[in-house]
Amino acid sequence: MTRTLLGLLLALSLALSAVGVAQGERPVVVASMHPHYDLIRQITAGEAEVVRLLPIGASPHTFDPTPRDVARVGAADLVIFNGGVDAWLHNLVAASGTDAPLLELMAVLDLDAAAEGARPRDRGVGDDHRGVNPHVWLDPVLMAQAVPHFVDALAAVDPAREALYRANGEALVADLEALHAELTEILAPVAGAPFVPFHDAWPYFTARYGLEQVVVIEPAPGREPTPSYLAEALALIEASGARAIFNEVQLPARPAEVLAEQAGVALYTLDPEGGGTSDEETYQAFMRDNARTIAEALSR
């Protein structure tokens, strides 16, 4: 089934399953992860109750939902998730018995242009989605493409606020396009530089901004890499001339610390999900911080 057809079927599902929000009430929108949660907050501007399932600092790869999360999904008017990395949400939906419409980002985005640069490389990803890496939110161009889908889903369950959602969505798309231009400028001085992330979350980002991913430190997120894998990774890092490697806020730092010490390179920390500095951190802010950290590390 093509993504275009899948998107049309999803839109029809939203229209048929949306019962609408009672007049004067705010819709309850459940989002699986912080990037999606924050963009929905920006679109709804306080006119919806937006709930994030994944706690700040947790990884979607290792997250273990609780009965409270089942209740949250059960109370939702709309559920938004990424696909792939948050497949645990399907179990929450089934357990909750909700009939709220679901919007899966991976099902509606046009990944044809990005997919070639975003497919898993020599190292296994362990969480790829239909053969394509699921970490789409780390590309602001793709997230600008996602905004109209968010708006359509919100308007379907809350038509009384459709004009607000559409106006805010248009402003957000413009802001994400400006963010892309800013990140391009920040990263231009290190274009082509070898990049060693902790896990394979970054292929859309590296393809968009011209970085060269050498190897990932942890090929299966949440599972300690084997000594033989680390030895291979060390050889690739040394051969590439990488000036730094990166760990991540949400995953154990020890493998990256060991490799950085053995390779004699600097270790920096990235936050691929956001919210690491504050529950109120915006998508734009954490993407900007990541870009600045990468530019600083690779220009050493």
Side-chain angles (χ1 to χ4, degrees):
M1 184 180 294
T2 66
R3 288 188 179 276
T4 300
L5 179 56
L6 195 57
L8 290 173
L9 290 175
L10 181 62
L12 178 60
S13 171
L14 286 168
L16 292 176
S17 60
V19 296
V21 176
Q23 188 171 4
E25 292 187 0
R26 298 190 305 163
V28 177
V29 183
V30 169
S32 61
M33 299 168 56
H34 189 80
H36 313 65
Y37 162 79
D38 178 65
L39 294 178
I40 295 298
R41 284 194 305 185
Q42 294 186 48
I43 294 167
T44 56
E47 293 299 318
E49 181 184 346
V50 188
V51 178
R52 182 192 57 233
L53 293 177
L54 188 68
I56 292 297
S59 169
H61 302 285
T62 58
F63 178 55
D64 188 12
T66 68
R68 183 185 181 208
D69 297 315
V70 176
R72 287 170 160 177
V73 171
D77 296 301
L78 172 65
V79 179
I80 293 176
F81 66 115
N82 188 81
V85 293
D86 48 7
W88 39 261
L89 192 135
H90 291 290
N91 293 333
L92 292 180
V93 168
S96 73
T98 184
D99 59 0
L102 309 180
L103 175 61
E104 179 185 1
L105 201 53
M106 289 289 291
V108 298
L109 289 181
D110 178 9
L111 299 179
D112 289 344
E116 183 178 353
R119 289 188 183 280
R121 306 210 177 178
D122 293 337
R123 303 299 170 192
V125 181
D127 61 358
D128 61 321
H129 179 82
R130 303 187 189 106
V132 178
N133 190 295
H135 299 83
V136 291
W137 68 88
L138 286 168
D139 182 347
V141 175
L142 287 178
M143 293 311 282
Q145 184 190 129
V147 170
H149 296 289
F150 292 155
V151 169
D152 288 345
L154 287 163
V157 299
D158 187 16
R161 297 181 176 88
E162 179 175 359
L164 171 72
Y165 297 151
R166 295 205 180 280
N168 289 348
E170 289 177 6
L172 179 55
V173 168
D175 201 34
L176 293 176
E177 290 171 349
L179 174 66
H180 166 55
E182 182 181 355
L183 299 193
T184 299
E185 183 176 352
I186 290 171
L187 293 163
V190 294
F195 176 62
V196 183
F198 192 78
H199 86 287
D200 204 8
W202 301 88
Y204 294 97
F205 186 94
T206 57
R208 185 69 66 188
Y209 298 110
L211 303 175
E212 187 60 39
Q213 184 168 304
V214 174
V215 66
V216 298
I217 297 168
E218 194 170 79
R223 294 206 298 268
E224 190 91 3
T226 64
S228 61
Y229 179 89
L230 288 176
E232 260 188 88
L234 177 61
L236 290 170
I237 291 166
E238 291 176 337
S240 72
R243 298 181 177 183
I245 65 175
F246 300 87
N247 61 14
E248 294 174 4
V249 171
Q250 295 82 13
L251 293 167
R254 184 59 184 160
E257 292 170 348
V258 169
L259 272 183
E261 182 177 353
Q262 292 179 342
V265 299
L267 178 62
Y268 284 76
T269 301
L270 298 176
D271 182 0
E273 293 162 35
T277 60
S278 165
D279 189 56
E280 298 300 314
E281 184 178 40
T282 66
Y283 173 83
Q284 295 92 320
F286 87 78
M287 288 295 292
R288 192 176 289 116
D289 286 347
N290 282 323
R292 288 172 176 161
T293 298
I294 291 169
E296 177 186 340
L298 301 187
S299 61
R300 289 171 57 88

